[in-house]
Amino acid sequence: MSERLDLKNAAEALDAADPLAALRARFVLDDVTYLDGNSLGALPAHVPARVADVVRRQWGELRIRSWEESGWWTAPERIGDRIAPLVGAAAGQVVVGDSTSVNVFKALVAAVRMAQADGATGGTGAGGDRTGDRTGGGGDRTGGGGPVRDEILVDASTFPTDGYIAESAARMTGCTLRPLTPAEVPSVLADRGDRVAAVLLNHVDYRTGRLHDLPALTAAVRAAGAYVVWDLCHSAGALPVGLDEHGVDLAVGCTYKYLNGGPGSPAFLYVRRDLQARFDSPLPGWNSHAEPFGMRSAYAPASGAARGRVGTPDILSLLALEAALDVWDEAGVSVAAVRTKSLALTDFFLRCVEAYVPDGRVESVTPRAHAERGSQVALRCDDAGDVMKRLIERGVVGDYRAPDVLRFGFTPLYVGFADVERAARVLARALAD
């Protein structure tokens, strides 16, 4: 009993000292302990009124005029520029639209096309010589005279859709798909990197919460002359990414998790500035045409990040996302501060689980080391599906991944330390049942 009281007192003290605690009031929350922001973020309180304005005034009154007068047409790039600092990118390199799946497809096929074009020309294309062209290491893109780049490496434990798309992209581009763990990537690249065209990796493993070493893996891919595509779905808005700093080629991410954009909110695509002129999308559309209203039969790609667009953007979801991002701007929140709280929350949760849950009942599959942990904790137990149902019935919402993983996501903008202590305490009771 004294240990439980100590942890409750510790949670109260941590909440009292939390510089981000006031942000909780900016979200629509109730008495439920919500630890599923790694699947769907909570609703920012001001978003409904903003969406109502989009529907009633911009659509209802201005109608077609809103494409220009309300800035609908430029929204994909404008909102991309607001996401850019949250993933460590300068303006003009992120465009918002389509789903994560569609953007993974665009990025991966474009990566293969660039790698194969490098080999065909014996050069490095518009990006220039790769040696030393980034902070954190680089390498030449070797070309003519060498082996054909006909392999795609993909994270073997990736979210299933990424694997499906990688397999389709491999068939489409005449490549062989090689699933492997991120830890195996450097050795495979050292052994046969001259055959690799592209590497698709997850920054954070969706099941375990393991954070992979983006700087080192990116440098290894670049040194081998291949192109890297990072999936940032479980890191964007939760921790520093450093796309520009680490010379990432291409990246995609969703916006409905830690960015709180709403269910099905559009994803984003990052194309590093020096690669934009070479980005050859497998899904060219009128929105990415250099003259979208020219209605020409021949396709000519737009310049800049707009080259990543395809068709008419989903305006309602897009502008709900734009409103949700106000939380970051108006409160002056830094990703570094969010990361500091994220690690404190997950540390405290593990501490509470160890104190409350009987030994051997659950096993954490999330790494202890901060450098290897995202913003979630995954616990393995045999009856995970039933346990999560009991947790939800008692007001603690996480989620379950087959066959035996309980996932708890910690969104620092609105999750507090009292939430964490309560979740561990209720978990112990649910496991006892």
Side-chain angles (χ1 to χ4, degrees):
M1 184 63 70
S2 61
E3 184 175 37
R4 179 169 297 179
L5 182 60
D6 287 345
L7 288 172
K8 291 189 72 172
N9 290 338
E12 291 176 3
L14 289 166
D15 279 332
D18 176 18
L20 303 183
L23 294 176
R24 184 184 181 95
R26 294 175 177 261
F27 292 86
V28 177
L29 296 165
D30 48 26
D31 292 336
V32 169
T33 298
Y34 189 67
L35 301 182
D36 207 10
N38 53 327
S39 283
L40 177 64
L43 172 66
H46 68 284
V47 168
R50 191 77 60 81
V51 172
D53 177 71
V54 172
V55 172
R56 293 172 183 165
R57 182 181 63 84
Q58 296 182 29
W59 179 15
E61 297 176 15
L62 296 179
R63 293 177 287 275
I64 196 70
R65 291 161 53 194
S66 276
W67 284 105
E68 180 177 350
E69 295 180 29
S70 300
W72 287 3
W73 184 262
T74 57
E77 291 80 27
R78 181 178 72 245
I79 300 170
D81 282 347
R82 294 187 64 184
I83 291 174
L86 302 180
V87 291
Q93 300 175 100
V94 178
V95 65
V96 180
D98 305 312
S99 67
T100 304
S101 304
V102 172
N103 283 323
V104 168
F105 180 72
K106 287 187 285 189
L108 190 55
V109 173
V112 173
R113 287 176 173 176
M114 288 190 289
Q116 293 180 341
D118 290 345
T121 61
T124 59
D129 181 29
R130 306 283 286 191
T131 306
D133 67 350
R134 72 162 85 196
T135 302
D140 294 328
R141 294 252 197 242
T142 56
V148 175
R149 293 190 177 271
D150 58 0
E151 293 185 0
I152 296 174
L153 308 185
V154 64
D155 184 344
S157 60
T158 188
F159 188 74
T161 291
D162 284 18
Y164 305 154
I165 289 173
E167 193 277 331
S168 179
R171 285 189 286 113
M172 180 177 177
T173 57
C175 288
T176 299
L177 186 65
R178 291 172 60 91
L180 69 170
T181 67
E184 294 172 321
V185 168
S187 61
V188 171
L189 290 172
D191 179 55
R192 52 187 298 113
D194 57 355
R195 299 298 301 265
V196 176
V199 182
L200 173 61
L201 295 168
N202 292 275
H203 196 191
V204 175
D205 186 284
Y206 81 98
R207 183 181 284 109
T208 68
R210 176 179 290 276
L211 173 65
H212 298 300
D213 191 342
L214 181 146
L217 288 167
T218 298
V221 175
R222 292 279 303 270
Y227 290 80
V228 68
V229 179
W230 281 98
D231 183 330
L232 308 178
C233 284
H234 286 268
S235 59
L239 54 91
V241 178
L243 294 178
D244 286 352
E245 176 186 359
H246 303 301
V248 169
D249 297 317
L250 303 156
V252 302
C254 66
T255 61
Y256 48 79
K257 301 183 191 297
Y258 297 106
L259 296 178
N260 308 299
S265 58
F268 63 88
L269 169 67
Y270 165 88
V271 183
R272 203 180 65 244
R273 194 178 311 280
D274 64 299
L275 296 179
Q276 290 174 359
R278 301 183 61 215
F279 183 81
D280 183 7
S281 174
L283 295 173
W286 78 285
N287 261 231
S288 63
H289 197 286
E291 297 181 70
F293 293 97
M295 302 302 166
R296 304 185 185 281
S297 58
Y299 179 73
S303 59
R307 189 174 286 211
R309 294 173 66 157
V310 183
T312 305
D314 186 343
I315 290 298
L316 298 184
S317 290
L318 194 59
L319 298 187
L321 165 63
E322 183 174 34
L325 294 172
D326 288 348
V327 173
W328 294 85
D329 298 337
E330 293 172 1
V333 185
S334 72
V335 179
V338 166
R339 176 60 168 167
T340 297
K341 183 177 176 181
S342 165
L343 291 171
L345 287 168
T346 50
D347 279 343
F348 190 62
F349 182 66
L350 289 169
R351 176 184 168 191
C352 291
V353 168
E354 289 176 350
Y356 293 160
V357 175
D359 290 344
R361 190 63 177 88
V362 298
E363 173 196 2
S364 175
V365 295
T366 301
R368 291 278 181 169
H370 285 182
E372 299 175 4
R373 188 194 310 166
S375 198
Q376 74 178 50
V377 172
L379 303 176
R380 178 175 289 133
C381 68
D382 293 338
D383 50 346
D386 291 337
V387 170
M388 184 52 67
K389 289 178 183 177
R390 294 197 291 272
L391 280 170
I392 292 172
E393 289 170 356
R394 298 177 182 193
V396 174
V397 178
D399 66 18
Y400 155 72
R401 288 292 177 265
D404 58 0
V405 171
L406 300 168
R407 293 196 320 168
F408 300 94
F410 299 84
T411 304
L413 298 182
Y414 54 78
V415 172
F417 292 91
D419 296 320
V420 169
E421 188 274 336
R422 177 174 184 260
R425 184 161 30 89
V426 174
L427 172 62
R429 292 205 302 266
L431 288 167
D433 291 344

